[in-house]
Amino acid sequence: MTHLRPKSQGPLVGVRVVELAALGPVPFAGMLLSDMGADVVRIDRADLSATQRTRARNNVMNRGRRSVALDLKSPRGQAAARRMVDRADVLMEGFRPGVAERLGLAPQQCLEANPRLVYGRMSGWGQTAPNRGEPGHDINFLAASGLLDTIGTGDSGPVPPLMYLGDFAGGGLTLAFAIVSALVERNGSGRGQVIDASILDGTAQLGIVVQGLLARGNWHPQRGTNAFDTGAPYYNVYATRDGRYLAVGAVEPEFYANLLRVLELTDVPVDGQNDRSSWPVLKQRIAEVVRSRDLADWTVAFEGVEACVTPVLSVDEAMSDRRYHTPDAYVDYEGVRQSAPTPRFSRTPSGVHLPSPLPGEHSEQVLREYGFDDVDIVQLLDEAGPAVIRG
């Protein structure tokens, strides 16, 4: 069933966004903008398989927007996309450099027709990078940024942290922030602009704290030897008897003292916390103690103790947790448990307005809203073929 346009709420109500379907950062940015109330319309490919279209409903990152299917390789589809962009506040694309130009959506062309447009470009390496045309994935950008080399233990080698840091934090979150910044600036100047966002640059910026430590001579290049990279015994993850894990972040002396007390390591001097020569042996001792009890036992032992010690929860457990999460931290939307929009606003609360769309689900409805007449709509729907859900 085609979902009607929702009554949105949030600080970005009234902002119209056109999102060209892409992977990773762009859909995450689209979700963030939609969660905040923006009317985000996603232009999906018309040649997706039936399986791809069916699975789209469970991709919760695509929540909150409507979908139009257009053939962007055809002159009619490209012209339709440009007409939509002419009436939008924001365009987001995540192609390799040069692809948007080949599709007739060059920044200069779009801004000439719509001078107030904020044109958000998301690529892996950046529009002007020496290797801008090369393919890449999250792991490649993490590697080139220097961040991957800092993640892991002395024994593990670099450990890729899924796609959290590159695609989502360095990419999508940075793009969404840049778009909102450009919209604020437009309120004064009346003019749009082009944003050149890259996963590499955004990810490298996440490493600013290590860059500062390096400049001060406080960062050791050997992995697993620094205070916050599992080198220190008071900032680490330890296995419990039942194969679960306990996260320890007892950085401050008073928290460190409480940690030692609960672990019954009374012979360990609190004032020797940052004696690096003692770290390897103390890590082994803490590991042995933690491994002597189950996670549930340690959770009870540290309850109410200010030691910055937390059980490592699974994603499933986190979504039903009431010890650390507020009741509205997760929502059940159309049968799918997922993170609620965040952060929270006092006057303009955000929310999930629509489920993830089937590609092309809202083609007729959205095209009509963007000023297309019956003849245009029929031609575009016929060209898109089975990707369109009619009526």
Side-chain angles (χ1 to χ4, degrees), residues 82-126:
R82 285 194 298 271
R83 283 182 60 181
M84 292 179 65
V85 172
D86 289 351
R87 300 186 60 174
D89 297 291
V90 178
L91 170 66
M92 295 192 301
E93 63 96 352
F95 301 125
R96 288 196 210 177
V99 173
E101 285 81 354
R102 293 198 296 272
L103 296 177
L105 293 166
Q108 299 82 354
Q109 184 179 6
C110 292
L111 283 166
E112 284 177 8
N114 182 0
R116 291 175 56 82
L117 179 71
V118 173
Y119 192 122
R121 314 199 77 176
M122 184 82 250
S123 62
W125 307 104

Side-chain angles (χ1 to χ4, degrees), residues 230-236 238 248 256 259 273 278-279 282-283 286:
T230 74
Y234 55 78
Y235 200 90
N236 217 317
Y238 296 97
V248 174
Y256 181 60
L259 170 70
Q273 178 179 1
S278 69
W279 283 3
L282 185 52
K283 278 197 291 186
I286 293 177

